[in-house]
Amino acid sequence: MDVCQILLGKPWQYDRQVQHDGQNNVYVIEKGGVSYTLNPLKQYVSASHEGPSVVVVKEKEFIKKLEEGEFGYTIVGKPISEAIDNDNKEVPKEVQTLLDKYEGIVVKELPDSLPPICDVSHHIDLILGASLPNKATYKMTPQQNEEIKKRVQEFLDKGLVDELSEKSDGTNRSELENDEEKLVFIEPEAQKNDKKNEPERGAQSVNEESDEEQQQEGTTLEPLEYLDLSENLFNGNFTLPYYGKLKSLTFLDLSFAGYVNDFFVNLESLSNLVSLEFLSLDGVNISVNKRWGEAVGSLSNLQQLHMFSCGLRGTIPNSLLNLTTLLHLNLSSNYLSGQIPAWFVNVTVHLISLDLSKNENLGGDISFIGQKGSYPSLTTIDLSHTAVKGHIPSAIGNISSLESLALKYTNIEGEIPLSIVNLSNLVHLDLFHNKLTGIIPPSLGSLSSLSYLDLGYNLLNGAFPSTVSDLVNLRILYLDSINLTGSISFSLFDNLTRLEFLVLSFNHLSVSIDSTWIAPFEKLSFLGLGSCRLDRVPPFLAKQYDLEQLDLSLNSVKNIPSWIWKLPNLDKLNLSCNQLTGSLPSSLTSTAFLYLDLHNNSLQGALPVPPAGVKVLDLSMNQFNGSIPTDIGEHLQHALFFSLSRNNLSAAIPDSVCTSSLQVLGLSNNMLSGMIPPHLTRNCSFLRVLDLAENHLEGKIPAEWGNLKEINTLKLAGNQLRGVIPSSMLKCQSLQVLDLGNNNLEGTIPHWIGNLSQLHVLILRSNKFQGSIPPQVIDLPNLQILDLSSNHLSGPIPNNLTNLLAIVNASQSNPNHMEQHTSEKTVFTINTVYTNNIAISWKGGHAEFLKVLFILKCIDLSNNNLSGSIPLKMGSLQGLITLNLSKNHLSGRIPKTLGGMDQLESLDLSLNRLHGEIPLELQLLSYLQFLNLSYNMLDGKVPRGGQFLTFGESSYIGNPKLSGIPFSNTTVCNNSSGYDNCTSIDTGGEADNSDADMIGWAVGLGLGSSLGFSIVIGILTFKKRMRKRAFNLYDSIILAVDRCMRGNR
């Protein structure tokens, strides 16, 4: 018996978002918004038996032991006949005493048959490593089991079926077998007589039967009312002939039954099931059947329709309007598109539950909800992960029976209607990640039945609603990232004894928790207080023994209390971006942490021994010193994410650090030295991110790294690597970020890089590459950042620039892997996303971008020996943000087509041999923030329109024939935010890489962990009229970014 089937019921694998870690035998399940983790029992060693042992030995060995003087007992079994013959002999007293003591377990006669079969006929001790010798008796819930028994008994009473036993009258039978039950259908007498004269046949498969035989089988099953074939593996070989004849069928469940597409070849037959009330096709791919809507719409008596994850496409068919008796409709997790039809309001009147969630292209206005006035039965509405928009209608208050409303990840906006207070039965309210504005209605406190409330990631504002304290049944409360202001005391939660999840992170709140406050929580498992201005870990947590997840990131906590390592169930801890000092315990092996994030603090000393089962460990951006222990890999056997970047670690990289389960390894910005271990990645078949940048590593790039089939980010910049790029890396077809800058690599740039079609970022600057730029590199359709600066490249700029589709298309909005956000409602995720900090040339200096956003598109070919003219097709790169062609031997005129690069913010053509006038078309570059045309041979007048009004003398110096140059200092400054951010134009070499230049990218910055703790502090995409206003915000935002990145030191 599988314990998960006992605890979770039949459909747990499919409708409860269960994640199973087979290697560690761990189940994670989300139910009611709460995430539960089922861990295996710990292994134990049974106590050794200290008393005398019983040993069975042979006769010779026994005699030998006696001769050696040892004393023992022996039991001799006699044949039954001998025992009878000697029945009059007395039983030894010692033996008789033993028999009397255990009289209850000794039977005089053996039973004539096997013991009766029980519902659970065996028992398994759930010990880690033990195998299950048998399947579950039933793959169903107790309610379904009772229903099956009831139906079978009805068939028995009517004489339609018989028990599976040999009949004495020779009655012929047809069997319908399933993994769960075996029912035997008695054929009618007429059919039995018809078959007497038939010749004998060999065994035939179902698909080989003749039409006449299939028709007879359909007649046999005609009285059938209940048919459940769910959760089978028919593998495409199963058909149910003449299913259209099952006119008595009221219940049909084919959910997750493997390939049953053949069942729907004749869709018209489905309309013959006139009695059908329940139909479930969950998990059955019927996408090839375009007319499914007509077939389903003809079932006029249908009350429940479940088509979860069926591959449905197109719009919602109008034929569903015919289902006037429908009570439950589930079309979730499909590919439906278009608008929710207007007639849908008529369907919802009689519904009990409606689930259209996870159809990301399904749009329309949600005003249909509540339009019909009274809704006597509707309890559940789920439109999450769709494209619906508009305001939540005030008419929603008419649905007084509503218990669950889920609209997360949609486009709804406006204020939360006050009429929501009329939903007195509401238990679950999920409005996460929308565009809701205004304040949280205080009247929400009157929803006394509310158990789950999630308003996180909206545009709400105002003070924390004190009426939350009236929600005495509340278990889950998410109010994170909604701009709440003011101060709150935790005494506000004195009445919320049932609270299990409390997340208030990333607002503008000042949370105060008195050191003597006694927590009322019966079972608090998740507390999120990120960015709540705390200066210590709340003392009340020392007695929260059920606590599993704790997020106190972005606060001012200075010390980690010793008791935090002793909380028995705490497995996820985030104390990143605080002011922690001191050292950690030398060993964390006794802790239960699966996730530990302490990055961006001031922790010192040697590295601790990691927790035994840790999956995510981030100790980056601290001051740990010493070497990485050579045996560290023994403690990372289950780790997925491990980062020690930006510390003071030295010595060599141990071979063991990269384990078989590891997906992300970050060791950048340390003082690691020596050769890169050639076998570092031997067992890392799942490695996705390898960051060894900014160390003192030497040698060549190992050719074995070509076996990293899953690698998508490889950063080796800022080392002393030499040699060529190994051709074996052509096999790394998942590569998206390749940063090999600032090394001593040589040779030509390999043309095969053009075959890495997933590449987004290619940085090869400051090496010794020579030759021309391979045209194949310009064929990369997803390339966003190309930096080949400071090499010895020669020849012309390739003319196939229009192949850079990701840069050509200014409106492209497909973020790469680094900008993907998890849909899980938790700040902790094992689906790690590594934050890439990319340093590129930016507005005359160098900037370190903390994330590679999809709007960041740059080309830097500066400081080479490129010749020829600037290609006219350069102007087709309409999405380009920065272009740097300085310090080359380019000649000719500045193309007028550059005026079409309407997203351009930075243009540097300095130190070339360009001549002619500055094209007036450049005045169209309304976003241009930096321009450098110095030290060329330009003539004519400087344009005085558009952004040219903002540029000073430094943009044009060194062009003696150029007139109309505005006089200014040779330093460009922007002090709008009240701090110095000046970049000096260096005409003789690269700009100084000062702290002021390491500004960081402020849009969409991940301020929490690099594992997905994201705070949106900027605007990803914005309209043109908002763009300039956004630029003015950069400087003030950069201060906050810089403060976090430097750990407030």
Side-chain angles (χ1 to χ4, degrees):
M1 177 66 70
D2 193 330
V3 68
C4 289
Q5 294 178 4
I6 298 174
L7 295 177
L8 308 178
K10 174 183 178 182
W12 68 271
Q13 301 101 321
Y14 307 105
D15 62 359
R16 301 192 184 180
Q17 300 181 355
V18 175
Q19 299 179 11
H20 178 212
D21 184 346
Q23 183 177 8
N24 300 319
N25 195 24
V26 173
Y27 293 82
V28 179
I29 179 172
E30 182 177 339
K31 180 180 181 183
V34 184
S35 179
Y36 299 92
T37 301
L38 302 180
N39 293 311
L41 295 178
K42 295 183 178 179
Q43 291 184 344
Y44 65 90
V45 180
S46 59
S48 60
H49 184 71
E50 299 179 354
S53 60
V54 177
V55 182
V56 178
V57 297
K58 297 180 179 180
E59 181 180 359
K60 291 182 179 180
E61 294 176 355
F62 177 68
I63 294 174
K64 181 179 179 182
K65 293 293 183 182
L66 291 180
E67 291 175 349
E68 291 175 355
E70 297 187 7
F71 178 77
Y73 292 96
T74 180
I75 298 177
V76 180
K78 294 183 179 181
I80 295 179
S81 58
E82 184 179 348
I84 295 175
D85 295 340
N86 298 277
D87 191 45
N88 56 348
K89 293 184 179 180
E90 292 185 3
V91 177
K93 182 178 180 181
E94 294 81 358
V95 176
Q96 186 62 50
T97 302
L98 187 65
L99 293 176
D100 293 341
K101 183 177 180 180
Y102 296 100
E103 182 180 5
I105 64 172
V106 179
V107 295
K108 296 181 179 179
E109 295 183 4
L110 294 176
D112 297 329
S113 60
L114 294 174
I117 297 177
C118 304
D119 288 341
V120 180
S121 58
H122 55 275
H123 171 77
I124 296 176
D125 291 325
L126 298 177
I127 300 173
L128 186 62
S131 60
L132 300 179
N134 199 357
K135 286 186 174 182
T137 305
Y138 295 105
K139 291 183 179 178
M140 62 185 69
T141 62
Q143 294 82 356
Q144 292 172 322
N145 188 21
E146 288 300 322
E147 181 66 23
I148 287 289
K149 291 180 179 179
K150 177 181 176 183
R151 297 288 182 174
V152 171
Q153 189 59 48
E154 290 179 0
F155 293 156
L156 288 171
D157 295 341
K158 295 178 180 179
L160 298 175
V161 300
D162 193 7
E163 294 182 359
L164 188 60
S165 58
E166 200 67 36
K167 296 186 68 65
S168 58
D169 58 2
T171 305
N172 293 322
R173 299 174 297 181
S174 295
E175 297 182 358
L176 177 64
E177 296 189 20
N178 191 19
D179 285 345
E180 318 303 339
E181 295 82 32
K182 180 179 287 188
L183 303 183
V184 183
F185 291 79
I186 303 176
E187 295 180 352
E189 191 69 21
Q191 292 187 25
K192 182 183 68 174
N193 294 333
D194 291 341
K195 288 188 176 182
K196 286 183 178 179
N197 298 322
E198 291 182 1
E200 292 185 2
R201 305 188 305 265
Q204 290 180 310
S205 67
V206 175
N207 292 325
E208 293 173 343
E209 292 180 3
S210 65
D211 291 342
E212 181 181 356
E213 293 162 0
Q214 293 182 357
Q215 186 170 4
Q216 291 173 347
E217 184 176 351
T219 305
T220 302
L221 301 177
E222 190 169 333
L224 195 65
E225 297 180 6
Y226 187 102
L227 180 58
D228 186 349
L229 300 177
S230 61
E231 296 187 43
N232 281 285
L233 294 174
F234 294 121
N235 296 323
N237 297 321
F238 172 79
T239 58
L240 187 59
Y242 293 91
Y243 64 91
K245 291 184 175 293
L246 307 179
K247 297 183 179 180
S248 299
L249 202 64
T250 62
F251 184 101
L252 177 58
D253 190 350
L254 297 174
S255 59
F256 305 102
Y259 287 114
V260 294
N261 289 345
D262 291 342
F263 181 87
F264 286 98
V265 170
N266 185 9
L267 281 172
E268 291 75 12
S269 298
L270 188 62
S271 60
N272 294 332
L273 306 181
V274 293
S275 302
L276 200 62
E277 299 175 358
F278 179 99
L279 175 61
S280 177
L281 301 174
D282 291 346
V284 178
N285 186 358
I286 60 172
S287 57
V288 295
N289 299 304
K290 307 298 183 183
R291 300 176 62 185
W292 66 269
E294 297 179 21
V296 173
S298 64
L299 304 175
S300 57
N301 290 313
L302 201 62
Q303 297 180 12
Q304 296 194 42
L305 176 59
H306 302 275
M307 300 185 73
F308 161 83
S309 189
C310 289
L312 305 179
R313 299 181 182 273
T315 59
I316 297 177
N318 293 333
S319 55
L320 297 188
L321 184 59
N322 301 328
L323 304 179
T324 56
T325 61
L326 198 63
L327 301 178
H328 300 274
L329 176 60
N330 184 353
L331 302 179
S332 63
S333 297
N334 285 290
Y335 304 98
L336 296 173
S337 57
Q339 306 288 306
I340 296 178
W343 51 261
F344 216 74
V345 65
N346 298 318
V347 175
T348 58
V349 174
H350 306 290
L351 284 180
I352 295 177
S353 65
L354 170 65
D355 190 351
L356 301 178
S357 64
K358 297 184 179 178
N359 288 281
E360 296 184 355
N361 296 318
L362 182 62
D365 199 297
I366 63 172
S367 58
F368 72 91
I369 300 177
Q371 273 189 11
K372 283 293 184 177
S374 176
Y375 291 77
S377 305
L378 189 58
T379 62
T380 303
I381 298 176
D382 192 348
L383 301 178
S384 302
H385 294 276
T386 64
V388 296
K389 59 183 180 179
H391 295 66
I392 301 176
S394 58
I396 196 171
N398 297 331
I399 313 177
S400 58
S401 58
L402 196 62
E403 298 177 3
S404 177
L405 176 62
L407 299 174
K408 66 180 178 181
Y409 285 106
T410 63
N411 296 316
I412 60 173
E413 55 189 3
E415 298 184 354
I416 300 174
L418 297 178
S419 60
I420 203 167
V421 70
N422 298 329
L423 305 179
S424 57
N425 293 307
L426 196 63
V427 175
H428 184 106
L429 178 60
D430 191 350
L431 304 178
F432 172 71
H433 210 291
N434 284 289
K435 302 174 184 177
L436 297 172
T437 57
I439 65 171
I440 300 175
S443 55
L444 278 181
S446 63
L447 300 178
S448 57
S449 299
L450 204 60
S451 173
Y452 184 107
L453 176 60
D454 188 351
L455 304 178
Y457 283 81
N458 278 284
L459 304 177
L460 300 167
N461 54 59
F464 185 89
S466 59
T467 53
V468 167
S469 61
D470 297 329
L471 302 175
V472 294
N473 289 308
L474 202 60
R475 295 176 50 249
I476 313 295
L477 177 61
Y478 285 107
L479 296 179
D480 50 326
S481 300
I482 55 176
N483 302 313
L484 293 178
T485 58
S487 302
I488 63 169
S489 171
F490 252 47
S491 59
L492 184 69
F493 304 111
D494 282 345
N495 297 327
L496 306 186
T497 59
R498 300 183 180 181
L499 203 60
E500 298 179 15
F501 276 44
L502 174 60
V503 182
L504 307 177
S505 299
F506 312 132
N507 287 288
H508 304 290
L509 293 172
S510 293
V511 175
S512 62
I513 306 174
D514 192 274
S515 59
T516 60
W517 183 69
I518 301 176
F521 312 126
E522 298 173 354
K523 189 180 179 181
L524 184 66
S525 62
F526 183 13
L527 178 63
L529 296 177
S531 187
C532 285
R533 303 179 185 176
L534 297 172
D535 59 1
R536 60 180 175 178
V537 178
F540 81 90
L541 293 175
K543 296 184 179 180
Q544 297 300 309
Y545 302 119
D546 294 308
L547 190 66
E548 298 177 1
Q549 304 180 46
L550 176 62
D551 176 21
L552 300 180
S553 61
L554 280 163
N555 282 290
S556 300
V557 178
K558 297 177 177 58
N559 297 297
I560 303 176
S562 59
W563 51 258
I564 207 167
W565 310 114
K566 301 176 183 179
L567 290 176
N569 293 302
L570 185 62
D571 58 15
K572 298 181 179 66
L573 175 63
N574 182 10
L575 293 175
S576 63
C577 291
N578 276 281
Q579 300 174 11
L580 300 175
T581 59
S583 59
L584 296 177
S586 59
S587 177
L588 299 176
T589 55
S590 62
T591 64
F593 290 119
L594 298 176
Y595 180 113
L596 180 60
D597 186 0
L598 301 176
H599 89 273
N600 201 349
N601 283 285
S602 299
L603 296 170
Q604 302 174 348
L607 292 173
V609 179
V614 70
K615 290 183 177 295
V616 174
L617 180 59
D618 192 350
L619 302 178
S620 62
M621 301 176 67
N622 280 284
Q623 298 175 18
F624 292 110
N625 52 40
S627 61
I628 303 174
T630 56
D631 62 345
I632 194 168
E634 297 177 7
H635 307 281
L636 299 174
Q637 293 301 312
H638 307 296
L640 303 178
F641 183 106
F642 182 48
S643 179
L644 299 175
S645 297
R646 297 180 184 269
N647 279 284
N648 300 319
L649 301 172
S650 57
I653 301 175
D655 280 341
S656 67
V657 71
C658 198
T659 59
S660 60
S661 62
L662 204 62
Q663 296 181 21
V664 176
L665 175 60
L667 301 177
S668 65
N669 295 87
N670 282 285
M671 297 179 289
L672 301 172
S673 58
M675 307 281 286
I676 297 178
H679 304 306
L680 177 65
T681 61
R682 171 180 293 178
N683 299 319
C684 299
S685 57
F686 297 105
L687 194 66
R688 297 174 54 214
V689 176
L690 177 59
D691 188 355
L692 305 180
E694 304 300 331
N695 282 287
H696 305 305
L697 301 174
E698 302 174 346
K700 298 181 179 181
I701 301 175
E704 291 86 345
W705 287 8
N707 296 322
L708 298 176
K709 301 296 181 60
E710 301 296 326
I711 193 79
N712 58 38
T713 298
L714 177 60
K715 297 177 60 181
L716 302 175
N719 285 288
Q720 301 169 21
L721 302 177
R722 54 184 174 79
V724 299
I725 303 176
S727 59
S728 59
M729 293 188 63
L730 174 60
K731 295 185 289 185
C732 302
Q733 287 296 309
S734 298
L735 203 60
Q736 297 186 12
V737 176
L738 179 60
D739 185 357
L740 305 179
N742 295 92
N743 280 287
N744 296 313
L745 300 173
E746 54 191 12
T748 59
I749 297 177
H751 63 84
W752 51 258
I753 288 182
N755 294 326
L756 302 176
S757 59
Q758 300 301 316
L759 207 59
H760 288 258
V761 177
L762 176 60
I763 299 179
L764 301 178
R765 72 164 176 271
S766 298
N767 280 286
K768 299 178 181 179
F769 291 112
Q770 55 187 358
S772 60
I773 300 176
Q776 294 87 344
V777 173
I778 311 299
D779 288 335
L780 293 168
N782 294 303
L783 197 64
Q784 299 171 225
I785 297 178
L786 175 62
D787 189 348
L788 306 179
S789 63
S790 300
N791 280 283
H792 305 301
L793 301 174
S794 59
I797 298 175
N799 200 35
N800 55 333
L801 295 169
T802 54
N803 293 339
L804 296 172
L805 300 180
I807 303 179
V808 169
N809 187 0
S811 61
Q812 182 176 354
S813 59
N814 294 323
N816 61 36
H817 75 291
M818 290 165 290
E819 269 54 62
Q820 293 177 351
H821 297 283
T822 177
S823 60
E824 295 182 52
K825 185 55 183 136
T826 174
V827 297
F828 299 97
T829 173
I830 301 302
N831 299 321
T832 57
V833 180
Y834 190 74
T835 299
N836 282 281
N837 52 311
I838 301 294
I840 63 172
S841 174
W842 183 257
K843 299 182 181 180
H846 279 80
E848 184 174 7
F849 290 75
L850 302 179
K851 272 198 172 185
V852 184
L853 300 180
F854 65 91
I855 63 172
L856 181 57
K857 302 173 182 180
C858 311
I859 293 179
D860 189 351
L861 306 179
S862 65
N863 201 17
N864 281 288
N865 298 313
L866 299 176
S867 58
S869 60
I870 300 175
L872 295 177
K873 291 183 179 181
M874 186 72 75
S876 64
L877 304 179
Q878 297 183 6
L880 198 64
I881 302 297
T882 177
L883 174 63
N884 190 351
L885 303 178
S886 66
K887 303 176 188 175
N888 280 288
H889 304 297
L890 299 174
S891 58
R893 296 177 178 271
I894 300 176
K896 296 180 180 180
T897 56
L898 297 189
M901 304 166 67
D902 54 7
Q903 303 294 315
L904 199 65
E905 299 177 12
S906 177
L907 176 62
D908 192 345
L909 303 178
S910 64
L911 288 158
N912 279 288
R913 300 173 182 175
L914 301 173
H915 65 268
E917 297 183 347
I918 300 175
L920 295 177
E921 285 77 6
L922 296 187
Q923 296 177 116
L924 301 175
L925 302 178
S926 57
Y927 298 152
L928 197 63
Q929 300 289 305
F930 176 85
L931 175 67
N932 190 358
L933 304 177
S934 64
Y935 296 96
N936 280 284
M937 295 182 289
L938 301 174
D939 55 33
K941 297 189 65 173
V942 174
R944 299 305 299 159
Q947 291 296 100
F948 278 83
L949 296 173
T950 66
F951 303 133
E953 181 184 7
S954 61
S955 295
Y956 314 104
I957 193 172
N959 291 280
K961 295 183 180 181
L962 202 58
S963 62
I965 298 176
F967 290 98
S968 66
N969 295 326
T970 58
T971 301
V972 179
C973 297
N974 180 2
N975 296 322
S976 60
S977 63
Y979 73 98
D980 291 335
N981 182 18
C982 300
T983 303
S984 298
I985 303 302
D986 183 357
T987 60
E990 294 184 358
D992 179 41
N993 191 6
S994 63
D995 285 347
D997 293 327
M998 304 297 287
I999 56 177
W1001 186 244
V1003 180
L1005 173 68
L1007 283 179
S1009 167
S1010 56
L1011 311 174
F1013 301 89
S1014 294
I1015 307 173
V1016 178
I1017 61 173
I1019 304 172
L1020 289 181
T1021 56
F1022 30 81
K1023 298 181 179 179
K1024 290 185 177 181
R1025 67 175 183 271
M1026 298 176 63
R1027 188 90 176 237
K1028 290 185 179 180
R1029 294 181 61 189
F1031 287 136
N1032 294 331
L1033 292 176
Y1034 281 2
D1035 291 339
S1036 59
I1037 294 174
I1038 287 168
L1039 279 177
V1041 175
D1042 190 65
R1043 193 174 299 121
C1044 179
M1045 290 303 298
R1046 286 164 174 75
N1048 296 312
R1049 300 178 196 135

